[in-house]
Amino acid sequence: MRPIFRALGGVGTAAALVVGLVSTASADPVEAQGLDTQAIDWKPCPELAEVECGTLRLPVDWGKPRGDKFDLAVARRKATDPAKRLGVLVINPGGPGGSGVDFALGANRYFSAQVQERFDIVGFDPRGVARSQPVKCSIDVLQRQPSTHPTTQAEFDALARYNRELATDCRKQTGPMYDHADTIGVVNDIDALRRSLGERKINYYGVSYGTLIGQQYAERYGRNIRTMVIDSNMDHSLDLRGFNETEARTAEDSFTEFVKWCDRTTSCALHGKDVAKFWDDLLAKADRGEITDPNDPTYKVTADDIIGFAFSAFYGPDWHLLASVLLDLTSGTAPPRAFAAETAQNPFPAVFCQDWAIRVKNQREFAAVERRAKQIAPHMRGSALGHSAIAGCVGLPEKVNNPQHRLNIKNAPKILMLNALHDPATGYEWAVAANRQSRDTTVLVTYEGWGHGVYDRSQCTQGTTDDYLISRRVPRHGTRCAAVEPPPVTARTTDTTRLPAGPKPGIPGWLR
């Protein structure tokens, strides 16, 4: 494992990395019902024999269903009480780039016993991800990335050229899948999976970017849903300005909540200090090159490194760890390597830049975007995730496979939306907006606490969700679940396997 802050700021050195940036328009999608699908040949998963694994052969381009094919990797945990079985629960952990197969392998530690009794829990690696024909790019190209903070038009042009060069390389290394990794393709894959499983209707649980998959499945295949839970919601109606500003607001809100927690919690390593001033002073020292990584004296810790570390900690939230690391940086002692992560795959931009027509046209506009984000989030200097996503699409074609639009769900049962009030990645205002756009078909339950992902936060959040999934009992509009203070060490702490699904190492994506 590399030293912590070097890992946060660098590019992984595995043999094949997953990245992709260009998006091109696809043909009008074909409904999954139009293609014959075979039954999956289930076998014990090599990672865990109690779970079944298999593949489903599907079109790379749903506009050409008889053309090139790929194998969709699928995993299934059968219902633990067949007599109580209600059907299948298809799950997705978000990302974009998270592995649903891995999610299914560990689903017994996530979902309640009652849910496990009644549903076959089915996870899949979305197209272009992990075991499902991952998008691949050359290491040497990835390692040449210029600054994502261009200060001149020449630097902006260099970033745009690099993104196009990387896109060309990724397409060459990957083949046809590169141009078809968008969420609409995933949605069609899910309905093909439903038919292969022999299910008239499915239940679905998607978290973070998996909510966009759920939203768009409901738009297209609402009649095929029994229940759907979308946890920590995307708002796919946002333009560049709205995306940038909402991401900045929710990042700064998470920082403010961390400061409040430190003020009221004696076990916080920074308790009794002016935490906001301490933080600003620390970033200023990093800007001057005065902080050395205790694990690697040759590396100067940057402000972006520290901000990225904090942003990752807000997901838990891992506030105790964050406070300790920040204090350690001022004393020169080695921080825990909690968020150091090598990355072998990262399909994040391949999907994001095909799902979002968010393009900054020149350095003047880019500077205005950064300036506005810093005005909204002066301590976090904007959103690490939002900025990386925007910068990753610079210079790429504006025409995309799956452009933004207001949510338009018809012919679907009531869908349960969950969101934390203080989420660093999918801000509460995203959930409110998505609920408002679909108020006839969705109901929003608010968790009044912190972090990313709501289902397992409390008895209230889990019980409300389980009642909905099992009994189809829809909570009343405006239901709220009280916040639960995070313990000193949480089960979410140091889960480095999530981090590579973000736009770059050290910045997690919209992923549980």
Side-chain angles (χ1 to χ4, degrees):
M1 186 180 293
R2 291 181 299 171
I4 180 169
F5 288 106
R6 177 79 66 136
L8 287 176
V11 175
T13 55
L17 286 94
V18 177
V19 172
L21 296 173
V22 168
S23 73
T24 58
S26 61
D28 290 338
V30 175
E31 291 228 338
Q33 288 93 330
L35 181 77
D36 293 333
T37 54
Q38 76 281 14
I40 296 171
D41 182 16
W42 297 105
K43 290 180 171 33
C45 296
E47 301 91 341
L48 189 63
E50 68 186 62
V51 182
E52 298 175 317
C53 282
T55 60
L56 182 62
R57 195 88 172 148
L58 294 174
V60 170
D61 180 359
W62 277 100
K64 300 176 181 177
R66 305 297 173 186
D68 293 331
K69 302 293 195 297
F70 78 103
D71 291 322
L72 184 80
V74 186
R76 176 174 69 179
R77 278 185 170 274
K78 283 193 170 182
T80 57
D81 189 343
K84 296 181 179 178
R85 183 183 181 278
L86 295 173
V88 300
L89 176 62
V90 178
I91 60 174
N92 182 275
S99 167
V101 169
D102 289 346
F103 196 11
L105 291 171
N108 60 319
R109 299 188 301 275
Y110 185 71
F111 293 102
S112 69
Q114 291 74 26
V115 167
Q116 294 180 61
E117 283 177 348
R118 291 166 173 82
F119 298 100
D120 293 347
I121 298 176
V122 178
F124 66 99
D125 287 348
R127 51 177 52 226
V129 174
R131 306 163 185 84
S132 295
Q133 196 170 324
V135 179
K136 297 180 180 180
C137 307
S138 301
I139 281 278
D140 63 323
V141 178
L142 284 160
Q143 290 177 332
R144 295 201 297 270
Q145 184 184 37
S147 171
T148 59
H149 298 278
T151 58
T152 66
Q153 184 61 41
E155 290 179 352
F156 179 89
D157 291 342
L159 177 61
R161 282 194 303 272
Y162 168 79
N163 285 344
R164 291 192 291 268
E165 177 192 5
L166 180 61
T168 299
D169 175 77
C170 296
R171 182 180 289 105
K172 179 180 178 181
Q173 302 296 330
T174 303
M177 177 59 78
Y178 173 79
D179 292 310
H180 300 282
D182 56 274
T183 293
I184 292 298
V186 176
V187 162
N188 288 329
D189 295 344
I190 291 176
D191 207 62
L193 175 60
R194 175 192 64 79
R195 292 188 302 114
S196 177
L197 294 170
E199 299 289 335
R200 190 172 66 87
K201 295 179 181 290
I202 63 168
N203 305 275
Y204 178 83
Y205 173 84
V207 61
S208 197
Y209 210 80
T211 65
L212 180 58
I213 296 172
Q215 291 168 12
Q216 296 200 310
Y217 185 85
E219 286 183 310
R220 183 163 296 204
Y221 299 112
R223 64 189 177 278
N224 297 337
I225 297 169
R226 176 183 175 273
T227 63
M228 174 175 284
V229 180
I230 42 180
D231 180 347
S232 306
N233 281 265
M234 305 294 293
D235 176 8
H236 197 231
S237 71
L238 294 167
D239 59 9
L240 171 62
R241 177 181 176 181
F243 178 83
N244 180 56
E245 294 185 357
T246 52
E247 282 289 81
R249 259 194 301 275
T250 201
E252 186 75 2
D253 173 72
S254 286
F255 176 82
T256 300
E257 291 299 307
F258 166 64
V259 172
K260 291 178 180 177
W261 170 82
C262 239
D263 287 345
R264 69 176 180 264
T265 306
T266 57
S267 60
C268 171
L270 300 175
H271 181 71
K273 298 180 181 295
D274 183 336
V275 177
K277 183 177 185 305
F278 178 93
W279 168 268
D280 290 341
D281 290 346
L282 189 65
L283 295 189
K285 288 180 65 177
D287 288 336
R288 295 192 298 268
E290 296 174 4
I291 301 178
T292 300
D293 186 339
N295 290 309
D296 181 2
T298 68
Y299 183 73
K300 296 295 184 182
V301 176
T302 69
D304 277 356
D305 292 335
I306 298 170
I307 290 169
F309 187 95
F311 184 77
S312 299
F314 295 156
Y315 274 49
D318 296 314
W319 287 335
H320 284 87
L321 172 65
L322 174 59
S324 297
V325 169
L326 295 179
L327 186 62
D328 286 344
L329 282 174
T330 64
S331 62
T333 57
R337 299 182 185 186
F339 294 97
E342 299 283 350
T343 176
Q345 296 185 358
N346 187 358
F348 181 100
V351 182
F352 183 84
C353 295
Q354 292 184 4
D355 280 344
W356 299 77
I358 290 178
R359 303 293 187 267
V360 181
K361 296 178 175 58
N362 52 51
Q363 197 278 328
R364 177 180 293 182
E365 185 181 14
F366 197 93
V369 166
E370 284 197 301
R371 186 166 55 251
R372 180 58 179 150
K374 290 177 181 178
Q375 288 173 348
I376 294 170
H379 298 293
M380 290 297 289
R381 301 183 180 180
S383 164
L385 174 56
H387 175 86
S388 295
I390 291 169
C393 297
V394 164
L396 302 180
E398 294 185 26
K399 192 174 182 180
V400 302
N401 291 358
N402 182 28
Q404 303 99 288
H405 62 275
R406 290 179 60 83
L407 193 54
N408 182 24
I409 299 174
K410 299 177 181 178
N411 305 315
K414 278 287 187 181
I415 292 168
L416 177 59
M417 289 180 164
L418 307 172
N419 223 91
L421 197 57
H422 306 291
D423 186 313
T426 54
Y428 185 67
E429 61 185 303
W430 282 10
V432 171
N435 175 234
R436 186 180 298 119
Q437 293 163 29
S438 58
R439 64 172 61 255
D440 292 336
T441 51
T442 63
V443 61
L444 173 62
V445 170
T446 302
Y447 170 62
E448 295 178 323
W450 314 271
H452 190 52
V454 167
Y455 169 72
D456 60 346
R457 292 286 173 180
S458 70
Q459 289 182 351
C460 176
T461 58
Q462 187 173 87
T464 300
T465 306
D466 286 358
D467 283 349
Y468 167 77
L469 285 171
I470 294 168
S471 303
R472 288 184 279 193
R473 186 176 299 119
V474 179
R476 64 175 178 80
H477 180 73
T479 296
R480 301 175 83 88
C481 290
V484 177
E485 288 278 328
V489 179
T490 74
R492 303 160 188 263
T493 300
T494 72
D495 184 0
T496 61
T497 61
R498 298 203 314 268
L499 296 181
K504 66 179 183 178
I507 303 296
W510 294 283
L511 180 73
R512 175 63 169 82

